[in-house]
Amino acid sequence: MSTDTYAAPPLRGSGVLETTTTTEGHSHIHRRISWAAIFGGVILALAIQLVLSLLGAGIGLGTVETNAGSTPSASSLGIGAGIWWVISSCLAIAAGGYVAAWLAGVEIRFDGMLHGLVTWGITTLVTFWLLTSAIGGIIGGGFSALGSVTSAAGSGLGDAAKPLAQAAGVSPDMVRQQAEAYLQLANPDPATMSPQDAQKVIATELVTYAGGGGEAAAAKERIITIMAAQMKVSHDEAAQRFEDGQAKLQQARDKAVQTAKDTADASASAASRTSFAGFAVLLLGAVAAAVGGSLAVQRRLRVTQRVVR
């Protein structure tokens, strides 16, 4: 342990002021950070953010006048809400950083900036945690309740259906046989096939045709033959109608794919803009917190000099 004595310059109306600084192992023995002060700054920042958010919501909702026909557009409300959120966040975090640095009693400007930045970091994490936990809890609870109701309803219907089916003399084998009878073709000949049977066969053959392979050509020919018999047209005309239908189907498929791509690109662009906006807001908050902490130290130095004088 070593003890060093430094002589400060004489002040007006006073003698020589001697300051004794004790160091051990060339390290500071006084605390450079005050978590109690940072906690107070975080509480104040969250409270100010809440108050300003409620004020902004009141002002924004107060501009809505449906009867008068002067309701602002959604884009105007969104832009105004975003600007107010940025301003209120910077003000709240600057006040939190100022209070944290002031209550910590630090007299080094860099230490005050660090107190402000730590306050900003904790406030940001707490804010995101509150938002995600509240929204996630509401959504998760809602889906859990919906799943419970659905499960209970399904169990009740299943339990109620069993005695009813047994009382009516219906067994699972009888149901399966009846379903096979519905799917069985009564008239396999396309010329005598009913419209319902023709639709079933065409649907089955379309699946085979879409799958490709060696059976695609036979499935296509089967479809054209059924179309010619059902619509009472020639084989060539039925083939032309089939090709026209496939072309329209391909156009619809291509349009759907292109729409999906455009939607994905728009979503990615919107997400990118939102991410950059969030980055800018957080960066402004960090700067505001550092400035608030620095201002607190600067004011403390002025107060100390005034008291000494």
Side-chain angles (χ1 to χ4, degrees):
M1 173 177 293
S2 62
T3 301
D4 302 328
T5 301
Y6 302 92
L11 298 177
R12 182 183 302 175
S14 64
V16 178
L17 175 66
E18 293 184 352
T19 303
T20 302
T21 303
T22 303
T23 59
E24 183 175 356
H26 303 285
S27 61
H28 295 282
I29 63 174
H30 62 280
R31 288 198 296 176
R32 300 286 298 277
I33 186 170
S34 174
W35 289 107
I38 291 175
F39 179 75
V42 170
I43 295 299
L44 183 65
L46 292 176
I48 294 176
Q49 180 65 53
L50 178 60
V51 171
L52 293 180
S53 298
L54 292 177
L55 177 61
I59 296 174
L61 294 176
T63 60
V64 177
E65 296 182 0
T66 307
N67 294 328
S70 59
T71 301
S73 61
S75 59
S76 300
L77 284 176
I79 294 174
I83 295 175
W84 181 258
W85 181 56
V86 173
I87 295 175
S88 62
S89 298
C90 291
L91 290 177
I93 198 64
Y98 183 94
V99 170
W102 179 266
L103 294 180
V106 294
E107 297 182 354
I108 301 177
R109 187 167 298 180
F110 184 71
D111 290 349
M113 295 176 62
L114 290 180
H115 275 76
L117 288 175
V118 174
T119 303
W120 162 79
I122 297 177
T123 304
T124 302
L125 294 178
V126 171
T127 301
F128 276 100
W129 177 78
L130 290 176
L131 291 176
T132 54
S133 62
I135 296 175
I138 293 174
I139 296 177
F143 276 107
S144 178
L146 179 60
S148 300
V149 172
T150 305
S151 177
S155 300
L157 289 176
D159 295 338
K162 290 179 180 179
L164 291 176
Q166 294 175 359
V170 179
S171 63
D173 294 335
M174 294 177 61
V175 174
R176 185 172 59 255
Q177 293 175 3
Q178 188 67 23
E180 292 175 356
Y182 286 152
L183 297 177
Q184 186 177 1
L185 297 180
N187 298 313
D189 186 6
T192 59
M193 192 178 296
S194 65
Q196 293 79 8
D197 293 339
Q199 292 178 4
K200 294 177 183 179
V201 175
I202 290 177
T204 304
E205 297 297 338
L206 280 176
V207 175
T208 305
Y209 176 75
E215 299 180 355
K220 176 181 178 180
E221 184 63 26
R222 177 70 171 170
I223 294 172
I224 294 174
T225 302
I226 296 175
M227 289 174 60
Q230 291 292 318
M231 294 185 295
K232 303 296 191 289
V233 296
S234 63
H235 185 275
D236 294 338
E237 185 176 354
Q240 184 62 39
R241 292 187 180 183
F242 177 81
E243 295 296 338
D244 294 341
Q246 289 297 311
K248 293 180 180 180
L249 181 62
Q250 184 63 35
Q251 291 178 359
R253 187 183 296 113
D254 295 340
K255 184 177 180 180
V257 171
Q258 187 61 39
T259 302
K261 291 181 179 180
D262 295 340
T263 303
D265 291 340
S267 300
S269 300
S272 176
R273 291 193 298 269
T274 303
S275 299
F276 280 118
F279 169 77
V281 171
L282 292 178
L283 185 60
L284 287 176
V287 173
V291 171
S294 176
L295 290 177
V297 175
Q298 184 177 357
R299 178 170 176 78
R300 177 172 293 278
L301 291 177
R302 291 178 180 176
V303 172
T304 303
Q305 292 176 359
R306 187 180 301 114
V307 170
V308 172
R309 290 175 181 175

